[in-house]
Amino acid sequence: KITDRMQLLVLFKRDLIEPIFKAVVTAEQKSLQEEHYKFLKKMVQTLVELGSQLCSIWSSKESGKSKEQIRPENFDTYLNALLFFSQHPSIVVNFYANNLWAQFCRHPDISQDTIFSTYLPKWTEVASKKVVKIGLPSNDNHPSCAYSKLDFDNDEEFTSYFGRCRIILLDTIRAVSSLNPVIPYRYVD
């Protein structure tokens, strides 16, 4: 029920979301260690699921609140964490985070939110760099190669996964273009 999901908004309070973000930053600094990398992947999955629940809450007619009242109080901190995951060299971490960006861009209310709109140029810049195929596990020419070695057994597995990631990225860039065509054009310029 939406009323049960509304309780999840407590996780956006400053004293709860800031320690989560700090834990993510600390884990990222040691993320090439397998335990820390697993923690990082679990954290991105947790934040993505929280964002998916937020999509349900935000568009709910049952909540009795206006769209501005539903926006969590530290939505900008949450988007910073999501942008942080979008910049990570790991293609798996990127895939989780960018799936949520796609969901937010397709959401009728979140996509029109003023705070969310300020993050679209930043995300577009990050995502445009992630469309390039780099990080094959057989190579050692980019920081993402080390993460690919942890996630994939061979180049074919990586290529298949990268194809799915690239489709999500390009679809989301297309959604950003329909929301505000100036953003991608300004980046390309």
Side-chain angles (χ1 to χ4, degrees):
K1 292 182 177 178
I2 295 299
T3 53
D4 295 338
R5 292 179 184 187
M6 291 291 282
Q7 296 173 13
L8 291 172
L9 293 179
V10 75
L11 294 174
F12 284 95
K13 294 201 179 291
R14 185 163 300 283
D15 57 335
L16 292 175
I17 199 144
E18 283 185 355
I20 291 171
F21 187 64
K22 288 178 184 174
V24 166
V25 171
T26 303
E28 198 281 324
Q29 293 170 351
K30 300 177 181 179
S31 63
L32 280 174
Q33 297 173 3
E34 195 164 350
E35 300 84 36
H36 291 281
Y37 183 53
K38 285 179 182 178
F39 173 76
L40 198 66
K41 288 195 291 189
K42 290 292 181 191
M43 283 303 298
V44 72
Q45 289 173 324
T46 303
L47 287 178
V48 166
E49 184 56 37
L50 183 61
S52 294
Q53 296 299 323
L54 181 62
C55 287
S56 299
I57 294 168
W58 203 310
S59 62
S60 169
K61 308 287 187 255
E62 295 175 32
S63 67
K65 295 182 177 186
S66 72
K67 302 301 179 200
E68 290 295 317
Q69 291 173 318
I70 292 175
R71 180 198 308 140
E73 61 186 79
N74 291 303
F75 190 50
D76 56 337
T77 305
Y78 178 79
L79 290 175
N80 269 329
L82 197 58
L83 188 65
F84 177 80
F85 283 125
S86 298
Q87 296 171 354
H88 195 273
S90 166
I91 191 171
V92 174
V93 170
N94 276 265
F95 181 71
Y96 293 137
N98 289 317
N99 264 330
L100 185 60
W101 283 106
Q103 197 173 353
F104 281 169
C105 285
R106 288 189 301 263
H107 192 278
D109 300 317
I110 295 176
S111 64
Q112 302 302 315
D113 182 66
T114 54
I115 292 175
F116 179 74
S117 297
T118 62
Y119 280 85
L120 290 177
K122 299 172 195 173
W123 179 85
T124 301
E125 182 177 343
V126 168
S128 297
K129 296 173 185 171
K130 297 291 183 182
V131 196
V132 178
K133 184 177 175 181
I134 50 174
L136 289 163
S138 63
N139 293 346
D140 209 10
N141 57 1
H142 194 270
S144 64
C145 295
Y147 294 100
S148 295
K149 289 175 185 174
L150 292 172
D151 288 321
F152 307 105
D153 292 331
N154 54 46
D155 288 354
E156 291 79 27
E157 238 180 69
F158 171 84
T159 302
S160 173
Y161 198 83
F162 179 79
R164 292 188 311 167
C165 294
R166 191 172 186 182
I167 289 169
I168 293 290
L169 285 169
L170 294 175
D171 189 44
T172 309
I173 290 171
R174 190 177 308 119
V176 169
S177 298
S178 66
L179 291 171
N180 187 347
V182 173
I183 293 172
Y185 286 123
R186 189 174 293 147
Y187 175 74
V188 170
D189 185 40

